[in-house]
Amino acid sequence: MYDRRVVRGNTYALQVTPVSTQPNPFEIQRQREARKRALARKRAKEQIQPRTPEPVEGREHIHVQTELYLEEISDRIIEVDTECQTDAFLDRPPTPLFIPAKTGKDVATQIEQGELFDFDVEVKPILEVLVGKTVEQALLEVMEEEELAQLWAHQRAYAELRNAELAEVQRLEEQDRRYREEKERRKLQHMQMLQKQKETTEKIAARAFAQRYLADLIPSVFNNLREGGFFYDPIERDIETEFLPWLMTEVEETLEKKVLGRTMLDSLICTVVEKRLDAFSHQPLSDQTEAPAEEPRPTDAAPQVAGETDAADQPVAEKEETEQLVAEEQPSRRISFQLEESDQAGTEDLETETSRRLSIT
Protein backbone atom coordinates (compact mmCIF):
# COMPACT_ATOMS: atom_id res chain seq x y z
CA MET A 1 0.00 0.00 0.00
CA TYR A 2 2.91 2.35 0.59
CA ASP A 3 5.14 1.24 -2.25
CA ARG A 4 5.64 4.17 -4.59
CA ARG A 5 6.43 1.92 -7.51
CA VAL A 6 2.79 0.81 -7.69
CA VAL A 7 0.77 3.26 -9.81
CA ARG A 8 -2.76 4.13 -8.64
CA GLY A 9 -5.21 6.50 -10.26
CA ASN A 10 -4.28 8.89 -13.04
CA THR A 11 -0.91 8.31 -14.65
CA TYR A 12 -0.41 12.01 -15.06
CA ALA A 13 0.18 12.25 -11.30
CA LEU A 14 3.01 9.76 -11.56
CA GLN A 15 6.14 10.93 -9.74
CA VAL A 16 9.10 11.06 -12.09
CA THR A 17 12.34 9.69 -10.71
CA PRO A 18 15.20 12.13 -11.26
CA VAL A 19 17.93 11.18 -13.69
CA SER A 20 20.80 11.82 -11.28
CA THR A 21 21.35 9.10 -8.70
CA GLN A 22 22.98 11.48 -6.23
CA PRO A 23 20.55 12.25 -3.38
CA ASN A 24 19.52 15.79 -2.58
CA PRO A 25 21.17 16.96 0.73
CA PHE A 26 18.11 19.02 1.68
CA GLU A 27 15.87 15.99 1.18
CA ILE A 28 18.22 13.85 3.30
CA GLN A 29 18.24 16.48 6.05
CA ARG A 30 14.45 16.75 5.96
CA GLN A 31 14.09 12.98 6.22
CA ARG A 32 16.51 12.89 9.17
CA GLU A 33 14.57 15.64 10.94
CA ALA A 34 11.30 13.76 10.28
CA ARG A 35 12.78 10.57 11.72
CA LYS A 36 14.09 12.48 14.76
CA ARG A 37 10.67 14.03 15.37
CA ALA A 38 8.99 10.64 15.05
CA LEU A 39 11.44 9.10 17.54
CA ALA A 40 10.92 12.02 19.91
CA ARG A 41 7.12 11.62 19.73
CA LYS A 42 7.43 7.90 20.30
CA ARG A 43 9.68 8.42 23.35
CA ALA A 44 7.32 11.07 24.74
CA LYS A 45 4.35 8.68 24.37
CA GLU A 46 6.32 5.92 26.07
CA GLN A 47 7.22 8.25 28.95
CA ILE A 48 3.64 9.56 29.33
CA GLN A 49 2.10 6.08 29.16
CA PRO A 50 1.78 4.61 32.70
CA ARG A 51 3.83 1.53 33.24
CA THR A 52 3.49 -1.47 35.44
CA PRO A 53 5.97 -1.50 38.37
CA GLU A 54 9.07 -3.58 37.86
CA PRO A 55 8.74 -7.22 38.98
CA VAL A 56 10.59 -8.47 42.02
CA GLU A 57 13.52 -10.83 41.72
CA GLY A 58 12.47 -14.25 40.43
CA ARG A 59 9.25 -13.02 38.71
CA GLU A 60 8.38 -11.58 35.33
CA HIS A 61 5.46 -9.77 33.68
CA ILE A 62 3.28 -11.47 31.04
CA HIS A 63 0.98 -9.68 28.59
CA VAL A 64 -2.69 -10.57 29.25
CA GLN A 65 -5.63 -9.63 27.03
CA THR A 66 -8.46 -7.80 28.76
CA GLU A 67 -10.53 -7.00 25.64
CA LEU A 68 -14.02 -8.36 25.07
CA TYR A 69 -12.99 -10.60 22.17
CA LEU A 70 -9.82 -12.64 22.47
CA GLU A 71 -7.43 -12.98 19.59
CA GLU A 72 -4.61 -15.35 19.02
CA ILE A 73 -1.17 -13.93 19.74
CA SER A 74 1.74 -15.33 17.82
CA ASP A 75 5.41 -14.44 17.66
CA ARG A 76 5.25 -14.04 13.87
CA ILE A 77 3.00 -11.51 12.25
CA ILE A 78 0.65 -12.95 9.63
CA GLU A 79 1.74 -11.79 6.24
CA VAL A 80 -0.35 -12.09 3.03
CA ASP A 81 1.02 -11.40 -0.42
CA THR A 82 -1.38 -9.60 -2.77
CA GLU A 83 -0.88 -8.59 -6.32
CA CYS A 84 -2.63 -6.27 -8.71
CA GLN A 85 -2.25 -5.96 -12.40
CA THR A 86 -3.61 -3.29 -14.68
CA ASP A 87 -5.66 -4.23 -17.72
CA ALA A 88 -3.97 -4.58 -21.05
CA PHE A 89 -6.16 -1.98 -22.77
CA LEU A 90 -7.13 0.89 -20.61
CA ASP A 91 -8.75 2.94 -23.38
CA ARG A 92 -11.34 0.26 -24.24
CA PRO A 93 -14.53 0.49 -22.17
CA PRO A 94 -15.65 -2.58 -20.33
CA THR A 95 -17.94 -5.04 -22.14
CA PRO A 96 -21.56 -4.68 -20.91
CA LEU A 97 -23.36 -7.69 -19.44
CA PHE A 98 -25.59 -9.66 -21.70
CA ILE A 99 -29.25 -9.23 -20.79
CA PRO A 100 -31.62 -11.35 -22.85
CA ALA A 101 -34.80 -9.86 -24.13
CA LYS A 102 -37.93 -10.05 -21.95
CA THR A 103 -40.34 -12.74 -22.94
CA GLY A 104 -43.38 -13.56 -20.91
CA LYS A 105 -46.09 -11.76 -18.93
CA ASP A 106 -45.97 -9.93 -15.62
CA VAL A 107 -48.48 -11.15 -12.97
CA ALA A 108 -49.29 -9.42 -9.59
CA THR A 109 -51.05 -10.63 -6.46
CA GLN A 110 -52.96 -8.45 -3.96
CA ILE A 111 -52.58 -9.29 -0.28
CA GLU A 112 -54.90 -7.66 2.17
CA GLN A 113 -54.05 -6.54 5.66
CA GLY A 114 -53.94 -9.39 8.13
CA GLU A 115 -53.86 -12.11 5.62
CA LEU A 116 -50.24 -13.09 5.95
CA PHE A 117 -49.33 -12.50 9.66
CA ASP A 118 -50.25 -10.58 12.83
CA PHE A 119 -47.63 -8.05 13.76
CA ASP A 120 -48.10 -8.26 17.51
CA VAL A 121 -48.13 -12.01 17.47
CA GLU A 122 -45.22 -12.30 15.10
CA VAL A 123 -43.16 -9.56 16.81
CA LYS A 124 -43.60 -10.90 20.36
CA PRO A 125 -41.00 -13.71 20.09
CA ILE A 126 -38.63 -11.43 18.29
CA LEU A 127 -39.12 -8.78 20.98
CA GLU A 128 -38.71 -11.36 23.70
CA VAL A 129 -35.49 -12.47 22.10
CA LEU A 130 -34.26 -8.88 21.78
CA VAL A 131 -35.18 -8.01 25.36
CA GLY A 132 -33.68 -11.25 26.65
CA LYS A 133 -30.51 -10.64 24.74
CA THR A 134 -30.40 -7.03 25.98
CA VAL A 135 -30.95 -8.06 29.59
CA GLU A 136 -28.44 -10.87 29.22
CA GLN A 137 -25.91 -8.45 27.76
CA ALA A 138 -26.60 -5.99 30.58
CA LEU A 139 -26.13 -8.74 33.15
CA LEU A 140 -22.93 -9.76 31.44
CA GLU A 141 -21.71 -6.19 31.49
CA VAL A 142 -22.61 -5.84 35.19
CA MET A 143 -20.89 -9.11 35.97
CA GLU A 144 -17.93 -7.95 33.94
CA GLU A 145 -17.84 -4.69 35.88
CA GLU A 146 -18.05 -6.58 39.16
CA GLU A 147 -15.33 -8.92 37.98
CA LEU A 148 -13.19 -5.95 36.93
CA ALA A 149 -13.83 -4.33 40.33
CA GLN A 150 -12.79 -7.57 42.01
CA LEU A 151 -9.74 -7.74 39.78
CA TRP A 152 -8.83 -4.16 40.65
CA ALA A 153 -9.38 -4.84 44.35
CA HIS A 154 -7.30 -7.98 44.06
CA GLN A 155 -4.65 -5.99 42.16
CA ARG A 156 -4.65 -3.29 44.84
CA ALA A 157 -4.38 -5.92 47.57
CA TYR A 158 -1.62 -7.61 45.62
CA ALA A 159 0.16 -4.27 45.16
CA GLU A 160 -0.17 -3.51 48.88
CA LEU A 161 1.09 -6.98 49.78
CA ARG A 162 3.91 -6.62 47.25
CA ASN A 163 4.85 -3.21 48.67
CA ALA A 164 4.77 -4.62 52.19
CA GLU A 165 6.94 -7.55 51.09
CA LEU A 166 9.30 -5.16 49.32
CA ALA A 167 9.51 -2.98 52.45
CA GLU A 168 10.15 -6.08 54.55
CA VAL A 169 12.80 -7.26 52.10
CA GLN A 170 14.43 -3.84 52.15
CA ARG A 171 14.31 -3.81 55.94
CA LEU A 172 15.87 -7.28 56.10
CA GLU A 173 18.50 -6.30 53.54
CA GLU A 174 19.28 -3.13 55.50
CA GLN A 175 19.45 -5.15 58.71
CA ASP A 176 21.73 -7.68 57.03
CA ARG A 177 23.87 -4.84 55.69
CA ARG A 178 24.10 -3.29 59.16
CA TYR A 179 25.02 -6.68 60.61
CA ARG A 180 27.73 -7.14 57.98
CA GLU A 181 29.07 -3.62 58.54
CA GLU A 182 29.03 -4.14 62.30
CA LYS A 183 30.77 -7.49 61.87
CA GLU A 184 33.42 -5.96 59.60
CA ARG A 185 33.85 -3.04 62.01
CA ARG A 186 34.21 -5.37 64.99
CA LYS A 187 36.71 -7.52 63.08
CA LEU A 188 38.68 -4.45 62.07
CA GLN A 189 38.56 -3.14 65.63
CA HIS A 190 39.74 -6.49 66.98
CA MET A 191 42.55 -6.59 64.41
CA GLN A 192 43.58 -3.05 65.34
CA MET A 193 43.48 -3.98 69.03
CA LEU A 194 45.65 -7.04 68.36
CA GLN A 195 48.02 -4.93 66.27
CA LYS A 196 48.27 -2.29 69.01
CA GLN A 197 48.76 -5.00 71.63
CA LYS A 198 51.51 -6.54 69.54
CA GLU A 199 53.14 -3.13 69.01
CA THR A 200 52.87 -2.39 72.75
CA THR A 201 54.45 -5.74 73.61
CA GLU A 202 57.25 -5.11 71.12
CA LYS A 203 57.79 -1.60 72.49
CA ILE A 204 57.88 -2.88 76.07
CA ALA A 205 60.35 -5.60 75.10
CA ALA A 206 62.47 -3.11 73.16
CA ARG A 207 62.36 -0.66 76.07
CA ALA A 208 63.39 -3.35 78.56
CA PHE A 209 66.19 -4.50 76.25
CA ALA A 210 67.33 -0.90 75.74
CA GLN A 211 67.26 -0.21 79.48
CA ARG A 212 69.17 -3.41 80.17
CA TYR A 213 71.62 -2.57 77.37
CA LEU A 214 72.06 1.07 78.31
CA ALA A 215 72.15 0.54 82.08
CA ASP A 216 75.97 0.43 82.10
CA LEU A 217 76.50 2.39 78.89
CA ILE A 218 74.84 5.65 79.88
CA PRO A 219 76.83 6.19 83.14
CA SER A 220 80.11 5.43 81.38
CA VAL A 221 79.22 7.79 78.52
CA PHE A 222 78.28 10.55 80.96
CA ASN A 223 81.45 9.97 82.96
CA ASN A 224 83.55 10.17 79.78
CA LEU A 225 81.76 13.32 78.70
CA ARG A 226 82.13 14.82 82.16
CA GLU A 227 85.81 13.95 82.18
CA GLY A 228 86.14 15.39 78.68
CA GLY A 229 84.64 18.67 79.85
CA PHE A 230 81.30 18.53 78.03
CA PHE A 231 79.28 18.58 81.29
CA TYR A 232 80.41 21.09 83.91
CA ASP A 233 79.12 23.19 86.78
CA PRO A 234 78.62 26.78 85.52
CA ILE A 235 79.67 28.28 88.89
CA GLU A 236 82.76 26.10 89.07
CA ARG A 237 83.52 26.84 85.42
CA ASP A 238 83.11 30.57 86.02
CA ILE A 239 85.37 30.39 89.07
CA GLU A 240 88.00 28.45 87.12
CA THR A 241 87.88 30.65 84.00
CA GLU A 242 87.18 34.08 85.47
CA PHE A 243 87.87 34.27 89.18
CA LEU A 244 91.00 32.12 89.60
CA PRO A 245 92.97 33.83 86.77
CA TRP A 246 92.07 37.24 88.20
CA LEU A 247 93.04 36.05 91.70
CA MET A 248 96.35 34.69 90.44
CA THR A 249 97.15 37.95 88.63
CA GLU A 250 96.29 39.94 91.75
CA VAL A 251 98.40 37.64 93.95
CA GLU A 252 101.26 37.88 91.49
CA GLU A 253 101.03 41.66 91.48
CA THR A 254 100.91 41.72 95.29
CA LEU A 255 103.89 39.33 95.55
CA GLU A 256 105.78 41.40 92.98
CA LYS A 257 105.11 44.49 95.08
CA LYS A 258 106.26 42.65 98.21
CA VAL A 259 109.39 41.36 96.46
CA LEU A 260 110.08 44.85 95.14
CA GLY A 261 109.66 46.34 98.64
CA ARG A 262 111.86 43.69 100.17
CA THR A 263 114.48 44.21 97.48
CA MET A 264 114.44 47.94 98.11
CA LEU A 265 114.60 47.32 101.85
CA ASP A 266 117.49 44.89 101.39
CA SER A 267 119.31 47.41 99.20
CA LEU A 268 118.74 50.16 101.81
CA ILE A 269 119.90 47.86 104.60
CA CYS A 270 122.96 46.91 102.57
CA THR A 271 123.68 50.57 101.92
CA VAL A 272 123.30 51.45 105.63
CA VAL A 273 125.44 48.50 106.67
CA GLU A 274 128.11 49.48 104.16
CA LYS A 275 128.05 53.05 105.39
CA ARG A 276 128.35 51.87 109.01
CA LEU A 277 131.14 49.55 108.08
CA ASP A 278 132.88 52.43 106.36
CA ALA A 279 132.30 54.62 109.42
CA PHE A 280 133.61 52.01 111.82
CA SER A 281 136.56 51.26 109.57
CA HIS A 282 137.57 54.95 109.35
CA GLN A 283 137.32 55.66 113.11
CA PRO A 284 140.15 53.32 114.33
CA LEU A 285 142.47 54.73 111.72
CA SER A 286 141.99 58.26 113.08
CA ASP A 287 142.66 57.03 116.61
CA GLN A 288 145.94 55.44 115.51
CA THR A 289 147.11 58.64 113.82
CA GLU A 290 146.38 60.63 116.96
CA ALA A 291 148.15 58.15 119.23
CA PRO A 292 151.73 58.40 117.73
CA ALA A 293 151.56 62.15 117.91
CA GLU A 294 151.04 62.01 121.70
CA GLU A 295 153.71 59.37 122.49
CA PRO A 296 156.84 61.69 122.56
CA ARG A 297 155.43 63.49 125.63
CA PRO A 298 157.72 62.55 128.47
CA THR A 299 155.79 63.75 131.37
CA ASP A 300 153.20 61.77 133.18
CA ALA A 301 150.79 64.59 133.20
CA ALA A 302 150.49 64.45 129.44
CA PRO A 303 149.13 60.87 129.42
CA GLN A 304 146.72 61.72 132.07
CA VAL A 305 145.51 64.75 130.18
CA ALA A 306 145.38 62.73 126.98
CA GLY A 307 143.52 60.00 128.79
CA GLU A 308 141.09 62.54 130.12
CA THR A 309 140.67 64.08 126.71
CA ASP A 310 140.12 60.61 125.21
CA ALA A 311 137.71 59.82 127.95
CA ALA A 312 135.98 63.11 127.30
CA ASP A 313 135.99 62.64 123.49
CA GLN A 314 134.80 59.00 123.58
CA PRO A 315 131.27 59.76 124.88
CA VAL A 316 130.99 62.55 122.37
CA ALA A 317 132.07 60.26 119.53
CA GLU A 318 129.73 57.50 120.69
CA LYS A 319 126.91 60.01 120.96
CA GLU A 320 127.57 61.24 117.43
CA GLU A 321 127.70 57.68 116.11
CA THR A 322 124.41 56.75 117.78
CA GLU A 323 122.74 59.87 116.42
CA GLN A 324 124.09 59.10 112.97
CA LEU A 325 122.83 55.48 113.20
CA VAL A 326 119.45 56.62 114.47
CA ALA A 327 119.28 59.16 111.63
CA GLU A 328 120.18 56.46 109.13
CA GLU A 329 117.82 53.87 110.60
CA GLN A 330 114.83 56.20 110.71
CA PRO A 331 114.35 56.34 106.86
CA SER A 332 114.81 52.59 106.57
CA ARG A 333 112.25 51.98 109.35
CA ARG A 334 109.89 54.49 107.72
CA ILE A 335 110.27 52.72 104.39
CA SER A 336 109.73 49.30 106.00
CA PHE A 337 106.64 50.63 107.81
CA GLN A 338 105.30 52.04 104.56
CA LEU A 339 105.94 48.75 102.78
CA GLU A 340 104.21 46.81 105.54
CA GLU A 341 101.27 49.20 105.48
CA SER A 342 101.04 48.94 101.69
CA ASP A 343 101.25 45.14 101.92
CA GLN A 344 98.55 45.10 104.57
CA ALA A 345 96.32 47.43 102.51
CA GLY A 346 96.92 45.30 99.40
CA THR A 347 96.01 42.12 101.23
CA GLU A 348 92.88 43.78 102.64
CA ASP A 349 91.87 45.02 99.20
CA LEU A 350 92.54 41.59 97.77
CA GLU A 351 90.44 39.93 100.48
CA THR A 352 87.54 42.39 99.94
CA GLU A 353 87.67 41.94 96.18
CA THR A 354 87.78 38.16 96.62
CA SER A 355 84.79 38.17 98.96
CA ARG A 356 82.90 40.47 96.54
CA ARG A 357 83.61 38.15 93.60
CA LEU A 358 82.55 35.12 95.62
CA SER A 359 79.32 36.85 96.71
CA ILE A 360 78.58 37.78 93.06
CA THR A 361 79.19 34.27 91.82
Side-chain angles (χ1 to χ4, degrees):
M1 295 299 293
Y2 295 96
D3 193 354
R4 294 186 180 184
R5 295 175 296 177
V6 179
V7 179
R8 294 178 183 84
N10 192 358
T11 58
Y12 293 103
L14 181 63
Q15 295 182 359
V16 181
T17 306
V19 179
S20 62
T21 57
Q22 186 176 2
N24 191 1
F26 297 102
E27 185 68 20
I28 293 173
Q29 185 177 2
R30 187 174 62 80
Q31 291 176 3
R32 288 179 181 175
E33 291 178 356
R35 283 197 296 271
K36 288 181 181 179
R37 286 195 295 271
L39 289 174
R41 285 196 297 271
K42 185 176 179 181
R43 290 172 183 169
K45 287 181 181 179
E46 289 178 357
Q47 291 178 359
I48 294 172
Q49 184 179 3
R51 296 183 178 180
T52 307
E54 295 295 329
V56 297
E57 186 177 357
R59 298 183 182 181
E60 62 179 3
H61 289 317
I62 299 175
H63 294 282
V64 179
Q65 295 183 8
T66 58
E67 289 82 9
L68 181 61
Y69 300 99
L70 303 178
E71 61 179 351
E72 184 181 359
I73 298 175
S74 62
D75 296 334
R76 183 176 179 182
I77 299 173
I78 299 173
E79 297 178 354
V80 179
D81 297 332
T82 58
E83 297 178 356
C84 64
Q85 179 66 38
T86 58
D87 295 335
F89 302 98
L90 294 177
D91 295 337
R92 183 179 179 276
T95 303
L97 295 175
F98 175 74
I99 299 175
K102 184 176 179 182
T103 60
K105 189 177 181 179
D106 295 332
V107 177
T109 301
Q110 180 66 34
I111 299 174
E112 297 295 335
Q113 186 176 5
E115 290 182 355
L116 294 179
F117 64 95
D118 188 0
F119 179 78
D120 294 333
V121 175
E122 299 294 337
V123 164
K124 185 177 180 180
I126 299 173
L127 186 60
E128 288 178 357
V129 171
L130 293 175
V131 171
K133 289 292 183 181
T134 304
V135 172
E136 185 180 0
Q137 186 67 27
L139 290 174
L140 289 174
E141 290 181 357
V142 171
M143 291 174 64
E144 185 179 0
E145 289 178 357
E146 291 181 355
E147 187 178 357
L148 288 175
Q150 291 179 0
L151 288 173
W152 291 340
H154 182 70
Q155 188 175 3
R156 285 195 297 270
Y158 173 74
E160 291 178 358
L161 180 61
R162 181 171 176 272
N163 293 331
E165 290 179 355
L166 287 175
E168 184 66 19
V169 169
Q170 290 178 358
R171 187 184 66 81
L172 293 175
E173 289 179 353
E174 185 67 20
Q175 184 178 3
D176 190 12
R177 185 183 63 80
R178 288 198 302 270
Y179 286 163
R180 286 199 307 272
E181 291 180 356
E182 183 68 20
K183 184 178 179 180
E184 294 295 332
R185 189 177 65 81
R186 292 293 180 87
K187 288 172 66 177
L188 181 61
Q189 185 177 3
H190 185 65
M191 293 296 292
Q192 291 178 356
M193 184 182 68
L194 292 177
Q195 185 68 22
K196 289 182 179 179
Q197 186 176 2
K198 183 179 178 182
E199 291 178 357
T200 305
T201 306
E202 291 178 355
K203 287 181 180 179
I204 291 171
R207 184 172 179 273
F209 177 75
Q211 286 181 353
R212 193 165 54 250
Y213 180 74
L214 298 176
D216 298 331
L217 181 63
I218 292 175
S220 62
V221 170
F222 277 102
N223 291 328
N224 294 330
L225 292 174
R226 192 176 291 106
E227 290 175 359
F230 291 97
F231 299 130
Y232 56 86
D233 189 1
I235 299 173
E236 184 179 356
R237 187 65 174 272
D238 190 12
I239 291 171
E240 290 178 355
T241 57
E242 299 293 335
F243 177 70
L244 290 179
W246 172 83
L247 182 61
M248 294 300 293
T249 53
E250 293 294 331
V251 169
E252 288 178 359
E253 290 178 359
T254 305
L255 292 175
E256 287 177 358
K257 290 179 181 180
K258 286 184 177 181
V259 170
L260 180 61
R262 289 177 181 177
T263 305
M264 293 174 64
L265 183 60
D266 292 338
S267 63
L268 290 174
I269 291 171
C270 289
T271 304
V272 171
V273 170
E274 288 177 358
K275 287 182 179 180
R276 291 181 64 182
L277 286 173
D278 292 338
F280 282 114
S281 63
H282 288 300
Q283 185 176 358
L285 291 174
S286 60
D287 294 336
Q288 290 178 3
T289 52
E290 289 177 357
E294 293 176 356
E295 285 179 358
R297 294 179 182 179
T299 58
D300 295 332
Q304 187 177 2
V305 174
E308 291 177 0
T309 55
D310 292 335
D313 293 335
Q314 188 174 1
V316 174
E318 290 178 357
K319 186 176 181 181
E320 289 177 358
E321 289 176 359
T322 53
E323 288 177 359
Q324 185 178 1
L325 290 172
V326 169
E328 290 177 355
E329 289 177 358
Q330 283 179 358
S332 63
R333 289 177 181 177
R334 191 180 297 109
I335 292 168
S336 63
F337 290 155
Q338 290 178 356
L339 290 173
E340 291 177 357
E341 289 177 357
S342 63
D343 294 339
Q344 188 175 2
T347 53
E348 291 178 356
D349 294 336
L350 184 61
E351 289 177 356
T352 54
E353 185 68 20
T354 303
S355 62
R356 185 177 65 81
R357 288 292 183 90
L358 289 174
S359 65
I360 289 171
T361 54

